[in-house]
């Protein structure tokens, strides 16, 4: 299993401490400037509705070709940075869902199910280790 959900932070810490990639909904309004969305100050880590990954190498191997248009903190776009901030817009979230259905990387159903709720939010983040 590549993706994990935890009911609370105590459960997450018991499982693996803080060594996780966090996949988190962006709760900022759609009108928010991209500079604000990708700023460190806008990120609130360790959300209970996030997905967590504890094998960054396997995650990168399986998902780098799918998560390849995220915005970094410096506003450039590229493949997933497993050590930084990656933001995916609502439009890109839809593209990612299509790619997941076509390519079916490891544990993609878990991510697809989680992304179904992303429609309620302003895209999502992949927050590196």
């Amino acid at each position: 299993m590549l993706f994990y959900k935890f009911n609370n932070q105590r459960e997450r810490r018991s499982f693996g401490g803080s060594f996780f990639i966090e996949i988190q909904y962006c709760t900022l309004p759609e009108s928010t400037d991209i500079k604000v969305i990708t700023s460190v100050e806008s990120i609130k880590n360790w959300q209970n509705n996030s997905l967590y990954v504890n094998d960054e190498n396997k995650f990168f191997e399986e998902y780098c070709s799918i998560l390849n248009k995220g915005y970094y903190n410096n506003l450039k776009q590229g493949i997933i940075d497993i050590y930084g901030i990656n933001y995916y817009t609502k439009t890109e979230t839809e593209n990612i869902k299509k790619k997941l259905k076509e390519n079916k990387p490891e544990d993609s159903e878990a991510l697809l199910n989680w992304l179904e709720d992303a429609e309620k939010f302003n895209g999502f983040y992949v927050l590196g280790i």
Side-chain angles (χ1 to χ4, degrees), residues 11-99:
E11 189 178 300
R12 178 190 51 80
R13 284 189 294 270
S14 295
F15 182 85
S18 62
F19 190 76
F20 289 99
I21 292 171
E22 181 178 4
I23 304 173
Q24 180 186 106
Y25 298 121
C26 177
T27 59
L28 297 170
E30 288 186 45
S31 60
T32 307
D33 187 89
I34 190 78
K35 289 179 185 180
V36 174
I37 291 173
T38 59
S39 73
V40 173
E41 293 79 21
S42 294
I43 307 297
K44 307 290 186 248
N45 293 92
W46 313 123
Q47 300 299 304
N48 288 337
N49 63 353
S50 292
L51 281 182
Y52 294 92
V53 177
N54 71 347
D55 186 341
E56 74 278 5
N57 294 323
K58 184 69 163 175
F59 179 69
F60 184 81
E61 178 184 310
E62 293 287 325
Y63 287 88
C64 73
S65 65
I66 294 170
L67 299 171
N68 60 3
K69 293 187 180 167
Y71 286 92
Y72 305 136
N73 180 263
N74 65 6
L75 303 183
K76 293 184 180 183
Q77 285 182 280
I79 64 169
I80 190 165
D81 176 2
I82 60 172
Y83 299 105
I85 295 170
N86 305 267
Y87 167 69
Y88 300 89
T89 64
K90 284 183 93 165
T91 301
E92 187 55 27
T93 299
E94 290 305 311
N95 293 332
I96 289 167
K97 286 166 48 177
K98 289 176 189 170
K99 290 178 191 177

